């Protein structure tokens, strides 16, 4: 279980919509998942898995457009959870979002 810090994406008071999560990694596993928690919550929502087991860097993009759990939220935390290969490398996680401003 790997968790990032809680991201406010530059403004902790504005609401945001996450539209995509991109992950670059090596040596995934069939039961290795990407989950997101919003607004400092304890519950995570799964967005997809890191199933490619290749040695070269693999990029996977998960669309979250239209997912109510990721709309109008102030903060986000990413979790990589499950069984990992002993050679697993997490190279980067990128969020694409739209700032909705303070309401």
């Amino acid at each position: 279980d790997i968790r990032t810090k809680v991201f406010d994406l530059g403004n902790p008071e504005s609401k945001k919509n996450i539209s995509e999560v991109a992950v670059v990694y090596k040596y995934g596993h069939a039961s290795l998942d990407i989950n997101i928690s919003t607004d400092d919550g304890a519950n995570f929502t799964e967005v997809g898995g890191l199933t490619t087991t290749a040695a070269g860097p693999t990029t996977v993009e998960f669309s979250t457009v239209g997912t109510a759990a990721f709309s109008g939220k102030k903060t986000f935390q990413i979790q990589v959870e499950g069984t990992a290969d002993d050679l697993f490398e997490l190279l980067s996680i990128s969020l694409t979002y739209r700032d909705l401003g303070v309401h």
Side-chain angles (χ1 to χ4, degrees):
D1 185 6
I2 299 170
R3 293 182 188 194
T4 66
K5 69 175 192 169
V6 175
F7 294 105
D8 63 19
L9 305 172
N11 186 348
E13 292 305 315
S14 72
K15 293 183 179 182
K16 301 141 194 100
N17 289 348
I18 293 290
S19 59
E20 183 180 86
V21 178
V23 181
V24 181
Y25 67 97
K26 295 180 181 180
Y27 299 104
H29 191 278
S31 64
L32 195 57
D33 298 321
I34 297 292
N35 307 314
I36 301 176
S37 174
T38 58
D39 293 341
D40 297 328
N43 298 323
F44 285 83
T45 302
E46 183 178 336
V47 295
L50 306 179
T51 58
T52 301
T53 58
T58 301
T59 301
V60 349
E61 299 171 346
F62 305 107
S63 175
T64 58
V65 173
T67 305
F70 308 124
S71 298
K73 304 301 181 183
K74 294 181 179 180
T75 62
F76 303 90
Q77 183 179 31
I78 313 302
Q79 175 190 46
V80 180
E81 182 244 349
T83 303
D85 188 283
D86 61 339
L87 298 173
F88 174 73
E89 292 181 42
L90 180 63
L91 303 173
S92 72
I93 299 174
S94 303
L95 300 175
T96 303
Y97 71 97
R98 178 171 176 233
D99 195 327
L100 304 175
V102 178
H103 298 320

